């Protein structure tokens, strides 16, 4: 019986069977026999999360533009489905043609979150493929991985053949070309990997040796031969207007997390928050022209039919004339009953008016992310939000009928004092006061959420220690006790242990690959899902592999320590990061790239707004 | 402007049979938008198109003919069926479109269920059905009990090419009915017999027209 029939026999007995049927609007159909390369795009989470990922959609359609390639998709099956598949002997399959993954030429993973590392291994396991790169010979799929997590690829180094560092639109095509040469000749896998390492943006971990000092820090990272580059430089596309963007975008049949058209209006962020990894790795800032955005918006509506377009970027307000662009889209969107959503908008009176006009949302919610409770700490992290601005915007928002205010903060930032924690309480209290003054009758809700600071590679805070679990707990309690005193405030906080593991995995080195494998053996998967995450299993895995997790999370590192991700070159220099870190210690801010060049080093890419400078 | 209410007849089979009722509404809304057909929307903060399925379809249900009604702010052309079928996902097909001048209600319906089960399934099933069984359902703490034969007009259990086929003729009483899947679940729980449903099909629905 073919895989498809076997799968369909399971669908009456699983949760949300719509995850496993493919068949979506604009799904690409090809004859697998008539292509040279079969590519399985794997997302290490469930369908509803994966199908909300813009990177997946860009690369899926880009690859399928090529006649010689068929790109299909596979997601992590939910546990009920996993059990049924194992019982029936069905291996992980693609949604386009229900082909089991071991039959593909290339398996590409999208790594957007460290917590999905166990799922990556689980997906290989469900495919019956050897986990380790070295155990997969010619004739078995090549496993590649891309996405923001590859900026520290080391924890998965044993399992992935080639990491793609940076934006994949160009590199992936070069890898395909090389793969064809490999597939249709007697080239060995080793030779293939060597040639891959020659493609800019490709990191082949097997071609590097890592040595350690007695204290556990890294002594050296060195290529195994002269032909392998000593550093891997990220790839970017220089011009968003000429680069590929799909307008006949695959549109799910079932509701997914972000159930809307996502249209990218620019890449990169000019702001330079010191904790933010995205702000570094996606540099330089490159805008897509409003002419292109408008054209894409129209085509997307015609081809997908969605009732919402989301204009995405890291900081929407920084798009030149965002008002004008949004209103232009509104002109044709309005009478087709299409909403426009503008996430990550900086809130002030003009943007409020814009929001009111374009976002016809059910319960208007305003979201602020001041990240820290006091001006001093906001200066430390270079978050350019003034408390007075929050208050004046909130006042205007209340007057315009907004009833829900969401506030996002981080606890455990470097240089944080209890005073800063209490500053969060003060902000919530003052917002409630403003509402009281206005004497409105409607109920309001102020939601305060805190996450815990996770030091990330390639940021000015990459050397910092994370708070201990005890400290996290204490600060959360302190805030919780105080917020209880304020009416209409709800407080939620992020899981301590999850933040801890995130810190460990994001700054991990090669020794963690064994731990991750052990964790999977002990039953870890879907770690970002509260109902599955079990830190005790992880602790057990660390213990069995004789690795101390505190070494990765709770330890402050010195500026001259060799970091596991030093092998990756983002264009932003280590000197710049160090300078920024020292400025943070003095609570001195740095201006945005729009005001003046901060000399981060990424201008060497000669793209985006760096060019005229 | 006077809104036109249209009645769409369509069929549903695998793989689209696994789309939920809410997702079906959303899917059709999107297809109308792609075809640039203006629908009538509800008022208020969260406008919804006025698409109503005469019988909501549970996940997994295949059907020879189903109906939804939709209010449009324009007249539909003759090419509407063709245009829809060009863009519908595999498994869905529009059969007929008509202007709805009357209202229709469901009178009774015929189902076929195919299950993978042991040889003696039908024997035990007949035994179960002889005991005038009930379906118990718990929803938000409230338990409802329905007597199967208050709704079931007839049934037949037979073996067809390795699978078991059970046909049901179900009556709609005061707008309420029972689902064959629930009968099968009740049976398999009580008799502790594993039966794997591989296909549920609504073969025919009889409507009555009311003015």
């Amino acid at each position: 019986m073919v895989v498809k029939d076997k799968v369909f026999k399971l669908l009456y007995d699983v949760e949300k069977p719509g995850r496993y049927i493919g068949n979506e609007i604009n799904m690409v159909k090809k004859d697998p026999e008539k292509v040279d390369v079969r590519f399985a795009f794997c997302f290490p989470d469930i369908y509803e999360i994966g199908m909300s990922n813009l990177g997946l959609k860009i690369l899926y359609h880009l690859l399928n533009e090529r006649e010689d390639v068929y790109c299909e998709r596979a997601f992590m099956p939910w546990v009920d489905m996993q059990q049924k598949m194992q019982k029936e002997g069905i291996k992980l399959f693609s949604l386009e043609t229900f082909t089991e993954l071991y039959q593909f030429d290339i398996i590409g993973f999208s790594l957007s979150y460290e917590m999905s590392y166990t799922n990556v291994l689980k997906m290989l396991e469900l495919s019956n493929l050897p986990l380790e790169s070295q155990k997969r010979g010619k004739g078995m799929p090549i496993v590649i991985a891309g996405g923001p997590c590859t900026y520290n690829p080391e924890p998965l180094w044993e399992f992935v053949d080639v990491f793609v560092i940076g934006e994949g639109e160009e590199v992936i095509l070069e890898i395909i070309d090389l793969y064809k040469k490999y597939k249709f000749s007697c080239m060995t896998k080793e030779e293939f990997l060597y040639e891959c390492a020659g493609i800019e943006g490709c990191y082949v971990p097997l071609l590097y040796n890592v040595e350690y000092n007695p204290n556990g820090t890294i002594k050296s990272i060195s290529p195994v031969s002269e032909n392998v580059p000593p550093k891997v430089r990220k790839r970017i596309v220089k011009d968003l207007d000429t680069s590929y963007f799909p307008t006949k975008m695959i549109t799910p049949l079932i509701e997914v997390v972000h159930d809307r058209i996502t249209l990218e209006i620019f890449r990169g962020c000019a702001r330079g928050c010191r904790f933010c990894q995205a702000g570094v790795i996606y540099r330089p800032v490159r805008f897509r022209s409003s002419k292109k955005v408008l054209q894409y918006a129209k085509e997307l509506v015609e081809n997908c039919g969605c009732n919402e377009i989301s204009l995405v970027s890291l900081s929407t307000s920084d798009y030149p004339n965002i008002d004008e662009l949004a209103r232009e889209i509104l002109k044709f969107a309005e009478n087709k009953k299409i909403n426009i959503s503008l996430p990550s908008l900086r809130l002030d009176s003009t943007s409020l008016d814009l929001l009111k006009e374009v976002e016809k949302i059910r319960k208007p919610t305003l979201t602020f992310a001041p990240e820290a409770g006091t001006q001093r700490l906001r200066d430390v992290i270079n978050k350019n939000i003034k408390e007075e601005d929050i208050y004046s915007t909130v006042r205007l928002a209340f007057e315009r009928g907004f009833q829900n205010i969401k506030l996002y903060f981080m606890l455990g930032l470097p240089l944080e004092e209890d005073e800063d924690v209490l500053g969060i309480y003060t902000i919530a209290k003052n917002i409630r006061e403003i509402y009281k003054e206005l004497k409105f009758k409607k109920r309001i809700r102020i939601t305060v959420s805190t996450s815990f600071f996770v030091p990330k590679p390639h940021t000015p805070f990459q050397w910092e220690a994370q708070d201990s679990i005890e400290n996290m707990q204490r600060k959360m309690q302190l805030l919780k006790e105080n917020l209880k005193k304020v009416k209409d405030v709800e407080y939620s906080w992020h899981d301590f242990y999850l933040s801890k593991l995130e810190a460990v995995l994001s700054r991990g080195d090669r020794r963690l690959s064994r731990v991750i494998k052990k964790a999977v053996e002990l039953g870890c998967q879907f770690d970002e899902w509260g109902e599955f995450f079990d830190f005790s299993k992880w602790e057990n895995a660390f213990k069995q592999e004789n690795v101390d997790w505190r070494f990765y999370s709770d330890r402050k590192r010195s500026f001259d320590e060799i970091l596991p991700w030093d092998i990756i070159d983002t264009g932003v220099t280590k000197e710049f990061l160090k300078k920024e870190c020292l400025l943070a210690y003095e609570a001195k801010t740095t201006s945005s790239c729009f005001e003046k060049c901060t000399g981060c080093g990424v201008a060497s890419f000669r793209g985006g707004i760096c060019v005229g400078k | 402007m006077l809104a036109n209410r249209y009645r769409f007849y369509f069929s549903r089979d695998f793989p689209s049979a696994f789309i939920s009722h809410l997702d079906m509404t959303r899917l059709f809304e999107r297809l109308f938008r792609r075809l640039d057909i203006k629908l009538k929307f509800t008022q208020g903060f969260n406008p919804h198109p006025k698409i109503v399925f005469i019988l909501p379809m549970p996940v997994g249900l295949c059907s020879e003919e189903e109906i939804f009604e939709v209010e449009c702010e324009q007249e539909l052309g003759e090419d509407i069926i063709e245009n829809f079928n060009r863009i519908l996902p595999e498994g869905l097909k529009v059969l007929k479109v008509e202007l709805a001048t009357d209202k229709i209600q469901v009178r009774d319906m015929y189902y076929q269920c195919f299950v993978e089960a042991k040889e003696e399934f039908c024997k035990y099933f007949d035994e179960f059905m002889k005991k005038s069984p009930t379906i118990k359902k718990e929803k938000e703490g409230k338990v409802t009990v329905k007597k199967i034969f208050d709704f079931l007009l007839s049934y037949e259990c037979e073996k067809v090419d390795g699978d078991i086929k059970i046909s049901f003729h179900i009556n709609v009483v005061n707008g309420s009915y029972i689902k064959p899947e629930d009968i099968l679940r009740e049976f398999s729980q009580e008799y502790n017999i594993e039966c794997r449903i591989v296909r549920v099909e609504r073969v025919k629905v009889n409507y009555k027209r009311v003015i």
Side-chain angles (χ1 to χ4, degrees), chain B residues 40-172:
Chain B
K40 200 165 160 55
F41 275 71
T42 57
Q43 302 292 312
F45 257 135
N46 187 21
H48 276 298
K50 296 191 165 176
I51 299 178
V52 179
F53 288 79
I54 299 296
L55 272 166
M57 300 180 82
V59 174
L61 182 72
C62 301
S63 181
E64 301 272 338
E65 189 185 280
E66 292 289 318
I67 296 174
F68 72 81
E69 291 177 354
V70 60
E71 288 184 37
C72 302
E73 293 210 335
Q74 63 179 86
E75 272 181 38
L76 299 182
E78 289 195 346
D79 50 358
I80 184 73
I81 300 178
E82 192 190 314
N83 287 343
F84 253 101
N85 287 334
R86 206 180 58 239
I87 56 173
L88 273 168
E90 191 189 328
L92 288 172
K93 199 174 164 207
V94 173
L95 309 166
K96 192 167 81 175
V97 180
E98 63 188 23
L99 207 55
T101 47
D102 52 359
K103 281 185 180 163
I104 52 172
Q105 280 173 4
V106 179
R107 188 167 24 205
D108 58 288
M109 33 198 182
Y110 292 88
Y111 283 91
Q112 278 178 2
C113 298
F114 295 86
V115 301
E116 272 183 6
K118 286 188 289 192
E119 280 288 309
E120 55 279 32
F121 180 92
C122 287
K123 194 184 113 201
Y124 289 116
F125 190 71
D126 288 335
E127 196 182 292
F128 168 74
M129 294 299 270
K130 280 201 184 97
K131 297 197 290 189
S132 85
T134 57
I135 292 172
K136 288 174 277 302
K137 271 210 162 170
E138 216 190 302
K139 207 177 176 185
E140 288 154 13
K142 240 177 88 180
V143 186
T144 51
V145 182
K146 282 180 176 173
K147 282 187 188 162
I148 289 177
F149 279 103
D150 283 353
F151 299 90
L152 189 66
L153 297 169
S154 67
Y155 82 95
E156 192 188 7
C157 188
E158 60 192 312
K159 205 163 166 269
V160 180
D161 308 324
D163 280 343
I164 311 276
K165 181 175 116 182
I166 314 137
S167 314
F168 297 96
H169 183 192
I170 289 167
N171 203 6
V172 178

Side-chain angles (χ1 to χ4, degrees), chain A residues 4 6 8-13 17-18 21 23-26 29 87-88 248 251-255 259-260 301-308 335-339 356 360-364, chain B residues 14-20 22-24 26-27 29-31 33-36 38-39 41-42 45-47 59-62 87 89-91 116 163 181 194-201:
Chain A
K4 186 174 181 173
K6 287 196 211 164
F8 271 75
K9 285 199 166 187
L10 307 180
L11 295 185
Y12 282 96
D13 288 326
I21 60 173
N23 194 32
E24 299 93 331
I25 295 177
N26 300 328
K29 288 178 189 163
K87 209 173 146 198
E88 301 296 320
K248 216 177 162 198
T251 309
L253 299 176
I254 68 167
E255 191 169 11
D259 200 27
R260 57 187 85 108
V301 169
E302 271 166 35
N303 294 327
C304 308
C306 293
N307 63 353
E308 186 170 340
N335 80 66
K336 284 178 184 279
K337 303 279 181 209
I338 298 164
N339 285 335
K356 263 304 220 200
K360 304 212 158 77
I361 31 181
R362 269 158 285 172
K363 282 185 187 163
Chain B
F14 294 159
S16 291
F18 291 100
I19 304 172
S20 76
L22 281 177
D23 292 331
M24 283 287 282
R26 181 173 28 238
L27 171 64
E29 178 191 339
R30 287 178 177 174
L31 296 175
R33 192 174 284 114
R34 284 183 65 192
L35 294 175
D36 215 10
K38 287 203 174 35
L39 301 183
F41 275 71
T42 57
F45 257 135
N46 187 21
V59 174
L61 182 72
C62 301
I87 56 173
E90 191 189 328
E116 272 183 6
D163 280 343
E181 298 99 302
E194 216 184 304
C195 75
R196 188 154 87 188
I197 298 175
V198 289
R199 187 180 170 88
V200 182
E201 210 178 309

